[in-house]
Amino acid sequence: MFLLSGQPLKARDNSVFHHLDWWTCMIYVLLIVFGWFSVCGASYVFGETQILSFDSRSGMQLVWISTSLILALVILLLDHRLYDTFAVPIYCVMMVLLFLTIFNPHEIKGSRSWIALGSLRIQPAEFAKFATALAVSKVMSSYRFSLDNYRDMMKAIGVVTLPMLLIILQRETGSALVFTAFFLMFYREGMSGSVLFTAFAMVVYFVVGIRYSETPLLGIPSSVGSVVVMLLIQLFLAALLQVYSKSRTRTYSAYAMSPTYYVRNRYPNSIKSTITNALILDTPKKITVFSLCSTVLLVFFSKFIVPFNIVWLQVLATLVILGNLIWAWLNNRVRPYLLITLFGAASLIFSASTSFILNHVMEPHQRARINVLLGIDKDVTGAGYNVHQSVIAIGSGGLTGKGFLNGTQTKLHFVPEQDTDFIFCTVGEEEGFLGAIVVLSLFLALTMRLMYLADRQPFVFGRVYGYSVASIFLFHLFINVGMVLGITPVIGIPLPFFSYGGSSLWGFTILLFIFLRIDASRHLSHR
């Protein structure tokens, strides 16, 4: 009878544990358990019996796991409104901490990203992720915020960029690059896809330009990399114009079918620019044909008539295309013409500076890793040693693996950093292909679940934070597993819940459970 009186049931309905997403909690527990076994396998030495000792890596990881579970419980018990209310103060405190860490006199492997508190070492960059996610969620949930507004977009990007710059000053480039994951959330929240396309184009220019910079094209005084990059710039300009022209055609077609068109049609000059901009479908085709034909003719001329570097004429042709776009913008004041022109100009500047960036901006070890990744150097005893050994370890695991604590590559410590950045090679060696698939499936399930939870948030703050969490996990997974397999640069970031260390595990736990706490209160008002 007492249970039917109403009050106990109401208290139960308002309990955070009643509305907690237990599926995500289960995935979290499975990942940290599998992660502990992987740390055991990576740090185990043949003949060792005290794997639970606090003097061993596996024993200390149990301490980090236990404290993480306590930390998760504390986060769930706190009022969900605290994360919204104190988002900016938390961010400010973390930025101050990142700034002070720059002047840390203690370097660890060339990085000043650690703070030593007695025997405990903490990496603030790991905690800056959740602080930045909270701050950017607070900014984007403000009244009338829109990523279509230039000032609003710059404000959100500024929140993300500040910790990146501070972490780079700590000589921790890998951790700084993690913050680019927020741009996936920006795209989900309405940022133009042109931003992601521009980033993709710059990566293509860099890879193609550097990889084939020394490869001659059919015996003429031009490199394959330079010629292909210039051709790509022209084709990308044509593609952007094609997308824009289709959009303008749809807009004009809808306008022409409206009554407003027939009223304004009495004054043809008033809609002249609209018609002109709507009917430019031939321009992208002309640019594409011009680019391909001119490149072929220039190669033929240089090969059989007068040898010369055809890249200069390609640059001139690109400048002519950009000049026409500027002329069209000045005549019609259509913003996409200006944006496409800026994209082309930025492409020319970036493609011309890739060699300078590689040889004079990047550190020697970063340059060596890029050269190994692109196949320019085959340094299996130097810069490429880690990746080479990790691939051997994963390949030796076969389908079902060698079994727990039976890996040879990892037990004999052939793979450097095998219990931190390269811990996934332990999974591949001991658990084999099937075990690796299970681990990747769990991460995929976690990411998909987070996206589902983010979509069901009734408030912008919760949705933005949820997508930020999903983006960060996805970035860590893709880059970490990719660098272990040799398909992404080695930038030194941990695999969530697997890599050894308290800062990493605590940081990811806080990041995840703040969102679970927000989601558990989605049925309540923020006020």
Side-chain angles (χ1 to χ4, degrees):
M1 293 295 294
F2 178 71
L3 290 177
L4 298 178
S5 61
Q7 186 61 33
L9 289 179
K10 182 178 180 180
R12 179 176 179 270
D13 289 341
N14 290 333
S15 171
V16 62
F17 299 104
H18 177 66
H19 296 280
L20 185 64
D21 187 69
W22 290 102
W23 286 105
T24 304
C25 293
M26 182 180 67
I27 296 173
Y28 167 78
V29 171
L30 288 175
L31 286 172
I32 61 175
V33 169
F34 289 160
W36 181 78
F37 280 105
S38 297
V39 171
C40 286
S43 59
Y44 177 76
V45 179
F46 284 122
E48 182 182 351
T49 58
Q50 301 296 326
I51 63 174
L52 300 180
S53 171
F54 292 156
D55 294 329
S56 65
R57 291 269 195 165
S58 54
M60 281 304 301
Q61 188 69 359
L62 278 180
V63 175
W64 307 136
I65 291 174
S66 301
T67 51
S68 294
L69 293 174
I70 296 173
L71 191 59
L73 180 61
V74 171
I75 291 172
L76 293 177
L77 293 177
L78 292 175
D79 193 315
H80 68 281
R81 290 169 292 189
L82 291 174
Y83 307 115
D84 188 341
T85 304
F86 293 98
V88 175
I90 291 173
Y91 176 80
C92 293
V93 170
M94 194 56 61
M95 294 306 103
V96 172
L97 191 58
L98 287 177
F99 178 76
L100 295 177
T101 308
I102 298 173
F103 305 99
N104 179 19
H106 304 289
E107 292 189 8
I108 300 177
K109 298 179 181 179
S111 172
R112 293 187 176 184
S113 61
W114 298 84
I115 293 179
L117 302 175
S119 59
L120 180 65
R121 293 180 301 180
I122 296 178
Q123 190 175 25
E126 293 296 333
F127 302 98
K129 299 169 189 175
F130 86 86
T132 304
L134 286 174
V136 77
S137 301
K138 182 69 174 180
V139 169
M140 295 180 66
S141 63
S142 60
Y143 180 64
R144 300 185 69 178
F145 178 93
S146 174
L147 286 173
D148 292 332
N149 184 293
Y150 178 78
R151 291 185 178 179
D152 287 345
M153 184 175 70
M154 288 298 101
K155 188 186 300 183
I157 292 177
V159 171
V160 174
T161 304
L162 178 58
M164 288 182 64
L165 296 176
L166 294 176
I167 294 172
I168 289 175
L169 293 176
Q170 298 173 4
R171 303 175 186 175
E172 190 67 30
T173 308
S175 297
L177 289 176
V178 173
F179 288 81
T180 59
F182 283 96
F183 284 87
L184 296 176
M185 178 273 295
F186 289 151
Y187 178 72
R188 168 61 182 81
E189 289 298 310
M191 183 185 70
S192 173
S194 59
V195 177
L196 294 183
F197 177 79
T198 301
F200 167 78
M202 298 304 169
V203 171
V204 172
Y205 299 153
F206 185 85
V207 172
V208 175
I210 295 299
R211 176 64 180 84
Y212 300 101
S213 61
E214 303 299 330
T215 305
L217 178 62
L218 301 177
I220 66 175
S222 303
S223 68
V224 173
S226 299
V227 173
V228 172
V229 166
M230 292 308 306
L231 182 60
L232 285 174
I233 292 175
Q234 296 172 358
L235 294 178
F236 284 162
L237 288 172
L240 290 173
L241 281 171
Q242 178 69 16
V243 172
Y244 168 67
S245 63
K246 286 185 177 181
S247 174
R248 293 293 295 180
T249 301
R250 286 194 297 267
T251 302
Y252 176 70
S253 299
Y255 172 70
M257 295 180 65
S258 67
T260 307
Y261 170 79
Y262 295 102
V263 174
R264 297 189 63 184
N265 198 36
R266 292 179 299 174
Y267 307 97
N269 293 333
S270 64
I271 60 170
K272 181 179 178 180
S273 61
T274 305
I275 299 175
T276 301
N277 292 317
L279 303 178
I280 60 171
L281 286 172
D282 287 339
T283 304
K285 298 176 183 177
K286 290 178 181 178
I287 294 177
T288 303
V289 174
F290 170 75
S291 302
L292 296 174
C293 292
S294 62
T295 301
V296 172
L297 290 175
L298 288 173
V299 171
F300 179 84
F301 190 88
S302 180
K303 177 71 176 178
F304 298 103
I305 301 178
V306 179
F308 69 100
N309 189 351
I310 70 171
V311 174
W312 295 110
L313 289 182
Q314 285 185 301
V315 172
L316 180 61
T318 305
L319 291 175
V320 170
I321 296 173
L322 297 180
N324 286 328
L325 287 174
I326 293 175
W327 177 84
W329 175 69
L330 291 175
N331 279 274
N332 301 293
R333 296 295 177 178
V334 179
R335 188 183 179 191
Y337 286 147
L338 177 61
L339 296 179
I340 295 174
T341 303
L342 293 176
F343 168 82
S347 296
L348 287 176
I349 295 172
F350 182 80
S351 61
S353 60
T354 51
S355 179
F356 178 82
I357 294 173
L358 180 67
N359 297 311
H360 299 284
V361 176
M362 291 186 174
E363 297 291 337
H365 69 279
Q366 295 172 335
R367 183 164 57 249
R369 290 172 180 176
I370 293 293
N371 288 334
V372 170
L373 176 68
L374 298 181
I376 299 175
D377 295 333
K378 302 289 184 181
D379 189 8
V380 297
T381 60
Y385 179 79
N386 290 26
V387 175
H388 182 67
Q389 293 298 327
S390 68
V391 171
I392 292 175
I394 292 175
S396 67
L399 180 64
T400 58
K402 298 177 180 178
F404 181 57
L405 302 182
N406 290 325
T408 54
Q409 294 295 117
T410 51
K411 300 306 165 294
L412 298 176
H413 297 279
F414 281 107
V415 185
E417 311 297 336
Q418 61 187 23
D419 57 355
T420 52
D421 298 340
F422 283 81
I423 196 168
F424 189 74
C425 69
T426 304
V427 178
E429 184 180 28
E430 294 191 347
E431 309 304 328
F433 176 78
L434 296 180
I437 290 297
V438 170
V439 170
L440 292 178
S441 298
L442 283 174
F443 276 111
L444 177 61
L446 176 64
T447 304
M448 297 298 292
R449 189 66 185 175
L450 290 174
M451 294 172 65
Y452 166 76
L453 297 182
D455 275 333
R456 75 180 185 183
Q457 298 305 305
F459 302 101
V460 175
F461 180 86
R463 186 181 71 243
V464 171
Y465 185 84
Y467 270 100
S468 298
V469 175
S471 299
I472 291 172
F473 278 121
L474 187 62
F475 185 91
H476 269 274
L477 175 66
F478 178 78
I479 297 298
N480 183 274
V481 175
M483 71 182 190
V484 170
L485 297 177
I487 60 176
T488 59
V490 178
I491 62 175
I493 62 173
L495 183 63
F497 311 123
F498 273 71
S499 296
Y500 172 81
S503 294
S504 171
L505 188 55
W506 288 351
F508 287 121
T509 298
I510 295 173
L511 183 72
L512 176 63
F513 277 85
I514 286 179
F515 179 53
L516 292 181
R517 181 64 183 91
I518 294 173
D519 176 71
S521 303
R522 66 188 181 278
H523 62 293
L524 301 175
S525 172
H526 273 262
R527 301 300 178 188

